[in-house]
Amino acid sequence: MTPVSRTDSARSWLMFGLGLCWLFVLLWPLLGIGADGVLSFAETFAVWGRIAAAALVCMVVWRLRRSGSLGFLDAPAGSLRDGMARVAAGVPRPVWLIALAALALSFPLYTERYAQDVAVLVLVYVCLGLGLNVVVGLCGLLDLGYIAFYGVGAYTYALLSIHYDLSFWLSLPIAACLAAVAGCIIGYPTLRMRGDYLAIVTLGFGEIVRILLNNWMSLTNGPNGLLGIKSPGIYLPSLADGFSFEHLYMRKLEYLYYVILVLAVFTVIAVRRLNFSRIGRAWEAIREDETAAEVMGVNTFLLKLLAYASGAAFGGLAGVFFAARMRFVSPESFSFMESVMVLAMVVLGGMGSIPGIILGALALIALPEAFRGFELYRMLAFGGAMTVMMLIRPAGLIPAKRMGKRGEEAE
Amino acid sequence: MGHLRLSDVCVRFGGLQALANVSLDLEPGEILALIGPNGAGKTTVFNVITGVYKVHSGSMVYGDTPMTGRRPHQILAAGIARTFQNIRLFTAMTALENVMVAQHCRSRSGVFSAVLRTRAQRAEEARIRAKALDALAFVGMAEMADSVARNLPYGLQRRLEIARALGSEPRTILLDEPAAGLNPAESRDLMDLIRRIAATGVNVLMVEHDMKVVMGISDRVAVLDHGVMIRQGRPDEVQRDPKVIEAYLGQ
Ligand SMILES: Nc1ncnc2c1ncn2[C@@H]1O[C@H](COP(=O)(O)OP(=O)(O)OP(=O)(O)O)[C@@H](O)[C@H]1O
Ligand SMILES: [Mg+2]
C-alpha cells in the first residue's frame, strides 16, 4: 500500500467513526428521553448497535472494493447486469406495458385486504406526486402547500355528496375545476417571485386553506370533519326482470382499488402527454431559464398559472377519491407534513420523471408499511435515505430521460 | 415590414444613465453592427428592444406597430428574436427541444388538446418539429438534434442559440457578440451563416467586438459610447472617424 492510500483509508475510517458518534447524539434524544422524564440508554444502544453493525459491513465492502480485493466479483456482476439490460431491451415496449397492466389488474385477486389498502394509498400518492411534478418538476416552482388542493378536492366532493347527493364521477370534473381555480388564486401572487420567497408564500397558502377548513364550522364542521360521504357508484346491467341498470355503491376495497387505478393511469397519461407537448416544453424552458423562456416567446405568467392550475387539478382528483374512500374528511389529513411527503416523493423519485415518481411513492408509502415495527425511527430512516440518495443518485431514483430520442419515438 | 426604429431612448439604472437619447434605424434586409467599448450600453439596447428592460423615455416602433412597453414574448411574436451575450440555453433540454420552444408563440394548442392528443394537436406538433429541424439544419446542426444542450461544445452552443432564435421565424434577429470565444475558423463559418441569414430577408442587428467580423459583413456600423450614439455610417467611414478612434483608445 502506498502512503497516500493509507491516509485515505485512515481518513475514511475516521469519518465513519465520527458519523456513528454523531448518529448516537442524534438518536439518544429521540429514544432515550422517556415521556415521564426518565433517561435510559439501553434501547438507544440496541438500535445504534444494529445500525453500526450494518454500516460496518457496508464500509468494509466499500473499502475492499476501493482497494481492489473484490475485483474478481466485478467482472461477473458487470456481465450479469449487461445481460439483464440486453434481455430487458430485447422485449418490446407493448409487452412490458401489457405485463404491467396484467399485474395491476389482477392485484386484488391474490392479495389480502391489507396489501390492497397499501396499494390504494400508493396510487393516491402517485396521483399527488405526478400533479406536484407538473409544478415542481416541469415548471421548476417550489410548492410547499400542494396538499391544499388535495383538501379542496376532498371537501368539494364531501359537500357535494352530503348536500346534493351528487355522484362521484360527476364530482371529479367539478372538483378538478375548483382545485384549478384555487391553484390560480394561490399562484397569482407568486408569479413574480422566485426561489425562497415562493416556498414561503406557498407554505403560507397551504396553511391558510387548512385553517379555513378548520375554522369554517358552518360549512366544514371544523375539526370534527364531515361524515356520510357516499362511495363511488356504478351502474351495472342486470337481467333480473327484463333488461335494466342497477345502481351499486362500490364500498368494497377491490372496487375502490380499480377506481384509483383508473385515476392514476389517467394521471400518468395526461402528465406524460402534457410533458411532451408545447405546453410541457414551455414549462421546462421556464424551469431552465425564466428570462430566456420569456424572450423566446413563452408567456411566463400565463404558463406558470397554467402549471399551478393543472397541478392542482390532479391533486383535486386525488382528493375526491380520498373523500370517497374514507367516507370522512377532516382538516388534519391536509397538514404541512403531507405536502412534505409528496414533495419528498418527487425529489426522491427524480423530478420530472414519471416512472421515478411512481417508484418514489412506492418507496415512501410501501416501504414504511413493510417495516411497521420500525415506525418510531421512520423520520430518521427517511432523512438517512434522502442523504444517501443525494450522494449516490442526485437526480433521483430514475432521473428524467434526456439522452437520445424523446417525444413521440419514446412513446 | 421589419423596419425597426428606436427614437430618443433613455434608460437609467439608479443614478447611472445607461442610454441617453439613443436613436437607431434598422432597415429591412440590412446587417447593422453595434460597436462600442465595454459598458457602453450595447446589451442594454438589446434588452430594451426585446422588452427585458423598460425605457425611461423614448419609443420603439416595429413596422407600423408601436412596441414600447411590450412584454418580451409579445416582441418575439412580432418577429424580433435574439441571442444572449452569455449563452442562455435551456441546458437540460435537447438541441431540438430548445429550438421547438421558440415555436411556442407560433402555435396554439392548449392543455386539453394536449391531454386528449387531438388530430389538430398532433399535426401542430409535427409542424413544430419540422420547423425546428429546418432551423437546426440551417445552422448545420441537424445531426446534433438529440444531444442535450449542456453537453454540446461551446462553439455549437453559440450556434444553437442562433438556431433557437431562427426557430421562431423572425424577421429581425439580434446577435449579442456571436463571435465571442470562437476560433478563427469558427468565426469565418459564423460570418457565412450571418450572410445566409440576411440573404433570407431577415435583418440583423449585431453587437461584436471582433473588427474582422464587423468590417467583413456589416452594411452599416453604429458606435455607442457611454450610452450615447456617437456615430452611424458605412464601415470604412466609421473606422476613420476620429471620435470613434478616441472612444476606443480612451477607455
Ligand atoms: N440590470 C442592470 N442594473 C444596473 N446596471 C446595469 C444593468 N444592466 C446594465 N447595467 C449597466 O449599464 C451599463 C451598460 O451595460 P451593457 O451591458 O449594456 O454594456 P455593453 O456595452 O453590453 O458592455 P460589454 O461589451 O461588456 O458587453 C454598464 O455600466 C452596466 O453596469
Ligand atoms: Mg454586452
Side-chain angles (χ1 to χ4, degrees):
Chain A
M1 252 198 211
T2 59
V4 178
S5 75
R6 186 168 314 136
T7 57
D8 175 46
S9 130
R11 163 136 3 109
S12 55
W13 280 109
L14 181 70
M15 292 314 283
F16 176 73
L18 274 178
L20 279 180
C21 294
W22 173 79
L23 177 71
F24 186 83
V25 171
L26 216 63
L27 204 59
W28 180 71
L30 218 64
L31 300 176
I33 306 178
D36 43 3
V38 179
L39 305 183
S40 67
F41 285 89
E43 195 187 356
T44 318
F45 269 119
V47 172
W48 183 77
R50 263 178 278 166
I51 295 177
L56 188 68
V57 172
C58 293
M59 185 71 186
V60 168
V61 170
W62 183 68
R63 281 311 319 172
L64 284 177
R65 263 204 76 174
R66 277 295 290 273
S67 63
S69 310
L70 292 182
F72 66 96
L73 275 179
D74 278 357
S79 69
L80 188 69
R81 181 152 16 91
D82 289 349
M84 299 251 285
R86 213 172 310 119
V87 170
V91 180
R93 245 181 112 81
V95 175
W96 279 114
L97 287 181
I98 289 169
L100 207 64
L103 192 73
L105 284 175
S106 61
F107 186 76
L109 300 182
Y110 54 83
T111 46
E112 310 262 301
R113 195 185 153 76
Y114 174 64
Q116 290 170 16
D117 223 8
V118 175
V120 166
L121 204 60
V122 168
L123 288 173
V124 168
Y125 277 97
V126 165
C127 292
L128 285 174
L130 288 174
L132 182 61
N133 174 51
V134 169
V135 184
V136 178
L138 295 185
C139 202
L141 306 164
L142 184 53
D143 186 348
L144 291 179
Y146 183 70
I147 214 69
F149 308 123
Y150 186 49
V152 168
Y155 270 86
T156 304
Y157 176 55
L159 293 170
L160 287 175
S161 168
I162 292 169
H163 296 304
Y164 302 102
D165 209 13
L166 203 68
S167 91
F168 172 82
W169 305 103
L170 275 178
S171 303
L172 281 176
I174 298 177
C177 288
L178 274 181
V181 170
C184 288
I185 294 173
I186 291 178
Y188 182 73
T190 67
L191 287 179
R192 287 169 192 278
M193 292 172 199
R194 296 184 189 189
D196 317 351
Y197 297 101
L198 185 65
I200 292 167
V201 171
T202 52
L203 189 154
F205 272 111
E207 281 300 280
I208 288 174
V209 169
R210 191 182 61 80
I211 290 169
L212 199 77
L213 294 176
N214 207 39
N215 294 356
W216 195 346
M217 287 299 287
S218 57
L219 185 71
T220 65
N221 200 22
N224 304 329
L226 290 169
L227 266 170
I229 303 165
K230 300 257 181 1
S231 297
I234 191 174
Y235 286 96
L236 286 177
S238 98
L239 298 169
D241 42 357
F243 184 79
S244 66
F245 284 101
E246 181 190 7
H247 188 260
L248 194 80
Y249 282 115
M250 296 194 279
R251 292 237 168 78
K252 273 209 179 140
L253 199 55
E254 290 109 276
Y255 297 152
L256 287 170
Y257 169 81
Y258 287 119
V259 172
I260 187 66
L261 188 64
V262 168
L263 274 183
V265 168
F266 166 75
T267 310
V268 168
I269 292 175
V271 170
R272 190 186 159 80
R273 287 184 169 181
L274 277 177
N275 193 171
F276 295 116
S277 72
R278 88 185 246 278
I279 306 283
R281 276 192 303 274
W283 283 337
E284 290 192 282
I286 292 174
R287 179 192 66 199
E288 295 298 310
D289 186 333
E290 197 171 327
T291 308
E294 173 87 30
V295 169
M296 287 330 291
V298 176
N299 186 347
T300 49
F301 284 5
L302 188 73
L303 271 129
K304 286 204 282 187
L305 266 191
L306 207 57
Y308 277 119
S310 0
F314 291 120
L317 291 180
V320 172
F321 176 81
F322 176 75
R325 150 101 182 82
M326 292 300 175
R327 289 191 273 144
F328 168 72
V329 287
S330 77
E332 71 192 59
S333 313
F334 311 110
S335 64
F336 173 60
M337 235 9 246
E338 291 291 308
S339 286
V340 171
M341 261 318 246
V342 180
L343 188 62
M345 277 166 205
V346 175
V347 175
L348 186 75
M351 291 213 216
S353 145
I354 293 174
I357 288 161
I358 295 174
L359 202 65
L362 205 65
L364 288 191
I365 302 295
L367 283 188
E369 292 293 333
F371 296 104
R372 264 269 165 216
F374 210 63
E375 191 159 35
L376 246 163
Y377 335 109
R378 214 166 89 166
M379 284 333 264
L380 194 73
F382 204 62
M386 286 298 233
T387 315
V388 172
M389 283 287 304
M390 293 278 246
L391 289 176
I392 59 174
R393 295 203 74 109
L397 289 172
I398 306 179
K401 221 194 190 129
R402 276 296 162 190
M403 300 306 269
K405 298 254 186 291
R406 288 187 73 219
E408 275 111 288
E409 290 94 321
E411 281 278 26
Chain B
M1 225 188 81
H3 184 160
L4 176 70
R5 188 163 61 236
L6 295 185
S7 9
D8 296 322
V9 167
C10 297
V11 173
R12 266 186 218 142
F13 298 111
L16 178 86
Q17 180 93 21
L19 294 181
N21 292 318
V22 169
S23 299
L24 190 76
D25 268 277
L26 184 60
E27 312 280 347
E30 86 171 329
I31 301 179
L32 172 63
L34 182 61
I35 62 172
N38 285 88
K42 305 175 300 281
T43 302
T44 307
V45 169
F46 275 28
N47 282 332
V48 163
I49 295 175
T50 52
V52 177
Y53 291 167
K54 297 263 169 292
V55 294
H56 198 260
S57 63
S59 67
M60 170 179 149
V61 178
Y62 189 56
D64 305 319
T65 10
M67 288 297 210
T68 329
R70 296 283 185 96
R71 296 206 19 227
H73 69 93
Q74 296 169 317
I75 287 174
L76 184 89
I80 305 178
R82 75 174 281 187
T83 65
F84 294 90
Q85 181 171 355
N86 29 16
I87 302 175
R88 297 184 79 157
L89 288 167
F90 308 125
T91 48
M93 300 168 79
T94 64
L96 183 65
E97 284 175 316
N98 266 276
V99 185
M100 284 169 92
V101 169
Q103 275 283 324
H104 186 83
C105 65
R106 305 269 177 255
S107 48
R108 43 184 51 264
S109 57
V111 170
F112 289 105
S113 50
V115 170
L116 299 175
R117 192 155 280 182
T118 57
R119 183 190 293 251
Q121 194 263 352
R122 274 175 294 159
E124 192 179 78
E125 276 297 297
R127 208 200 66 220
I128 293 173
R129 178 173 285 264
K131 288 246 165 83
L133 275 170
D134 280 351
L136 276 180
F138 188 86
V139 303
M141 287 183 65
E143 56 302 358
M144 272 75 103
D146 288 327
S147 336
V148 176
R150 129 165 17 97
N151 301 338
L152 289 171
Y154 179 85
L156 287 180
Q157 291 196 7
R158 286 239 108 134
R159 211 158 247 262
L160 179 57
E161 270 222 332
I162 298 178
R164 186 176 65 173
L166 288 175
S168 67
E169 302 174 82
R171 279 179 288 135
T172 299
I173 189 166
L174 316 181
L175 306 172
D176 202 343
E177 305 202 10
L182 299 189
N183 63 34
E186 286 174 327
S187 283
R188 269 197 303 281
D189 285 351
L190 177 79
M191 282 164 71
D192 179 50
L193 175 62
I194 295 174
R195 276 199 206 97
R196 281 195 294 129
I197 293 172
T200 62
V202 173
N203 43 359
V204 180
L205 174 61
M206 160 178 83
V207 167
E208 190 46 70
H209 281 302
D210 185 340
M211 280 304 145
K212 244 207 278 34
V213 174
V214 171
M215 296 302 153
I217 59 172
S218 42
D219 301 316
R220 233 153 34 92
V221 177
V223 189
L224 205 59
D225 183 30
H226 287 95
V228 180
M229 187 68 80
I230 56 171
R231 181 73 208 249
Q232 293 193 39
R234 288 216 320 275
D236 49 329
E237 293 168 6
V238 168
Q239 211 173 10
R240 286 194 308 264
D241 189 317
K243 260 186 1 194
V244 175
I245 295 168
E246 190 195 339
Y248 267 88
L249 293 179
Q251 69 173 295

